[in-house]
Amino acid sequence: MGEEKMMTANSEAAAPAAVELPGFVMSAEEAERAAAAAGVDTVEDLLPLLIPSAMRLARPPISRFPVGAVGLGESGRVYVGVNLEFLGVPLSQSVHAEQFLITNAAAAGERALRAIAVSHMPCGHCRQFLQEIRGAAGIRILVTSDADAADGRAPEWRALASLLPRPFGPHDLLPKDAPLVLEPHDNPLGDPVDAVANGFAAGDLEARLKEAAEAAARAAHAPYSGCPSGFAVADGEGKVYAGGCLESAAYNPTLGPVQTAIIAMVAAGGGPTGDVVAAALVEKDGAVTAQEATARIFLAGVAPQATFHVYKYRSSDV
């Protein structure tokens, strides 16, 4: 028994220590250096060591249950995702760590994810959302909480396909060559035809918000509704953060543009959502999946002081 305890203690002592994250994205060079410093063979081996640091970046004021996810992109860059919860708005506005990670990677222009380490087993919502990535079945997943403390067994990598063996996804609804979530999009919007505002941001901020929201709408992943939309927010320092909707073939796991804009704010090191002082939404006029009402609910709950401008776009063909 004493010898067994000594072996366990020695193995624990030899285990690589957790590694602190420098932010929500690590360059390929930073990741390689961190892996070498941690004494692991590959950047993939580094991912589980980053999970404790990722969990500390989570913002779950309702559940008090932090979740962290770290992914390795085809480029060699490492992306972080955390769960976000918002007081005063419906739970459906919450962001899952895997959703944050994918949004973060898409914003950086990543084209594929090779591996993801996550602190807790992905829920069905996230398993479905991951299907929007081309080749999702082959993404390798490691759940750090799978470690067995009783026998010292380390968690194992598995293919995403093992977590959702017969998935419904883009292949059921879209042509094979349709761009998926980590691929370039250039959505036609037409021209602005209408605008509604509850006040105007100072100086050139209104123009910058509109420009950022429009760019996010053009880059949005909205193949199922055909209604791309973009949302931009500004903090008290005049910094602008934007995101476009990222739809899911199963509809409900879809991230709206409000959520992706807040992800961008958090990933850039921004403050709490209550710091938002102005916002803008760009969407199609008469959209079958409109975002304005949701945006108003969100802002009323987290940043009621913010000005809000809605821009409706319509194609000249209509």
Side-chain angles (χ1 to χ4, degrees):
M1 178 68 74
E3 182 178 347
E4 182 178 323
K5 286 184 178 179
M6 184 178 296
M7 289 177 64
T8 301
N10 289 340
S11 64
E12 288 177 354
V19 176
E20 286 299 311
L21 286 159
F24 281 87
V25 179
M26 295 177 72
S27 69
E29 294 75 16
E30 287 176 323
E32 291 285 355
R33 287 197 298 269
V40 294
D41 294 333
T42 67
V43 173
E44 186 175 286
D45 296 327
L46 174 70
L47 301 185
L49 305 182
L50 298 171
I51 290 297
S53 181
M55 291 174 68
R56 288 192 289 273
L57 297 172
R59 300 184 183 184
I62 300 171
S63 69
R64 306 289 181 185
F65 189 83
V67 180
V70 185
L72 173 61
E74 186 177 62
S75 66
R77 292 190 294 265
V78 170
Y79 302 94
V80 179
V82 300
N83 60 322
L84 306 176
E85 297 166 0
F86 308 103
L87 297 171
V89 299
L91 287 176
S92 59
Q93 291 303 298
S94 301
V95 174
H96 298 225
E98 295 90 336
Q99 291 180 307
F100 189 124
L101 189 158
I102 293 169
T103 305
N104 193 13
E110 188 62 55
R111 293 292 174 260
L113 289 174
R114 295 176 179 171
I116 298 173
V118 61
S119 59
H120 300 85
M121 183 62 71
C123 68
H125 197 88
C126 292
R127 300 180 198 196
Q128 181 63 56
F129 192 73
L130 284 161
Q131 301 307 311
E132 295 303 313
I133 300 173
R134 196 175 302 280
I139 297 174
R140 287 160 55 77
I141 302 283
L142 182 142
V143 182
T144 59
S145 59
D146 275 356
D148 192 325
D151 62 11
R153 188 174 61 222
E156 298 180 350
W157 290 97
R158 70 190 86 189
L160 177 60
S162 69
L163 300 182
L164 196 60
R166 298 182 63 186
F168 175 85
H171 61 277
D172 292 294
L173 299 178
L174 302 177
K176 288 184 178 181
D177 59 352
L180 300 186
V181 79
L182 293 182
E183 298 165 8
H185 292 65
D186 186 13
N187 302 306
L189 298 175
D191 300 310
V193 294
D194 191 19
V196 179
N198 69 333
F200 291 86
D204 70 343
L205 185 53
E206 194 65 52
R208 291 195 291 124
L209 284 165
K210 178 186 175 184
E211 181 180 3
E214 180 179 325
R218 293 191 187 282
H221 176 64
Y224 308 109
S225 70
C227 299
S229 54
F231 191 72
V233 297
D235 62 20
E237 297 179 359
K239 296 178 181 176
V240 173
Y241 315 92
C245 63
L246 299 180
E247 291 184 346
S248 162
Y251 286 18
N252 292 93
T254 292
L255 278 177
V258 174
Q259 293 160 303
T260 58
I262 297 302
I263 289 172
M265 183 176 177
V266 174
T273 51
D275 288 352
V276 171
V277 299
L281 170 70
V282 165
E283 66 178 349
K284 287 187 174 182
D285 186 43
V288 296
T289 55
Q291 303 291 337
E292 180 180 349
T294 300
R296 291 190 183 281
I297 290 170
F298 186 89
L299 290 172
V302 304
Q305 76 287 350
T307 63
F308 181 41
H309 205 135
V310 181
Y311 299 93
K312 304 284 188 176
Y313 281 58
R314 184 187 303 156
S315 170
S316 58
D317 297 334
V318 177

